[in-house]
Amino acid sequence: MSTLVPQPVRAPVGERTTDLARGPAGRDEARLTAVYRRWGPLVQALAQRALGDSREAEDITQQVFLAAWRGRSGYRPELGSPAAWLIGITRHRIADALAARTRRAALVEGAGEQYAAMDHRAQEGMDPTVDRALMTVELARLPMPQRTVLRLAYYEDLTHPQISERTGWPLGTVKSHARRGIRSLRLRLEDVRDGR
């Protein structure tokens, strides 16, 4: 057995292969538990390999099986095995996690540029704590939907689909609020930097 290719664990005694082949369809929590025991290690190994972070891989694994449970009525055994279905969900969650990393990096870079541009204030004796407070104040001035989306994205590290799920807002609405919020925040910080 190769250590590079994760292998699903064998079904415990008493779990019939036909039950596992039906995947998580239906309302049977025991079947989902069996599916988790069988393919959880595979999902976690894929996430670990893609993300390089065991804690993040554990989070992804939980998200995948939560999504599988919520979307269980959409699973069709005739279209593919439970493993293929779960791997598809895993790939989407990994892509979301990588996109969240990119957003965080862009925010950090943008904030760094803003702080560098405002460096003259620090040279005049202003405390960096004032800059952090300024960022907090400007974020609080954003309209509630924009502020909510940005806080969930950057402080709770949620992806746009996760924010949509948490708030109940359509995904397109979440993305629009994020775009407008970042643009407004950038403009407000530029105004402060320029002394307006």
Side-chain angles (χ1 to χ4, degrees):
M1 180 187 319
S2 168
T3 57
L4 296 176
V5 179
Q7 301 293 320
V9 296
R10 296 213 179 273
V13 176
E15 290 176 3
R16 296 183 318 221
T17 304
T18 54
D19 287 342
L20 291 172
R22 285 184 287 175
R27 296 180 181 268
D28 184 0
E29 290 182 35
R31 189 179 309 152
L32 181 67
T33 300
V35 169
Y36 179 82
R37 278 198 303 259
R38 175 77 187 258
W39 287 290
L42 172 66
V43 168
Q44 187 159 349
L46 291 172
Q48 169 73 34
R49 186 178 313 143
L51 302 170
D53 182 313
S54 59
R55 286 184 56 204
E56 202 170 5
E58 289 173 13
D59 290 344
I60 293 294
T61 303
Q62 290 177 0
Q63 291 172 27
V64 166
F65 284 93
L66 181 60
W69 176 251
R70 289 181 177 159
R72 64 193 179 277
S73 63
Y75 172 69
R76 299 286 177 260
E78 64 273 11
L79 298 178
S81 70
W85 185 60
L86 291 167
I87 288 170
I89 296 171
T90 303
R91 287 182 177 153
H92 286 288
R93 296 298 173 166
I94 289 169
D96 289 344
L98 293 172
R101 280 185 184 175
T102 302
R103 285 192 307 275
R104 284 193 307 273
L107 179 68
V108 168
E109 184 179 328
E113 290 171 3
Q114 291 296 328
Y115 286 131
M118 294 166 50
D119 189 45
H120 67 280
R121 294 173 62 213
Q123 291 174 359
E124 293 169 5
M126 293 195 74
D127 190 326
T129 306
V130 174
D131 288 337
R132 283 192 296 277
L134 174 65
M135 182 72 83
T136 303
V137 167
E138 294 303 331
L139 184 61
R141 289 183 180 171
L142 292 175
M144 187 277 299
Q146 294 173 18
R147 183 174 61 242
T148 300
V149 168
L150 291 180
R151 284 189 175 163
L152 289 172
Y154 300 112
Y155 295 134
E156 295 190 32
D157 198 27
L158 298 181
T159 64
H160 288 155
Q162 290 168 331
I163 294 169
S164 174
E165 198 172 294
R166 169 139 353 146
T167 61
W169 296 335
L171 182 59
T173 301
V174 168
K175 290 180 178 181
S176 295
H177 286 319
R179 241 186 337 270
R180 284 194 299 268
I182 289 171
R183 185 175 53 238
S184 295
L185 191 57
R186 184 178 299 128
L187 291 172
R188 288 176 191 263
L189 291 172
E190 285 173 2
D191 285 348
V192 168
R193 182 194 67 206
D194 296 338
R196 288 183 277 193

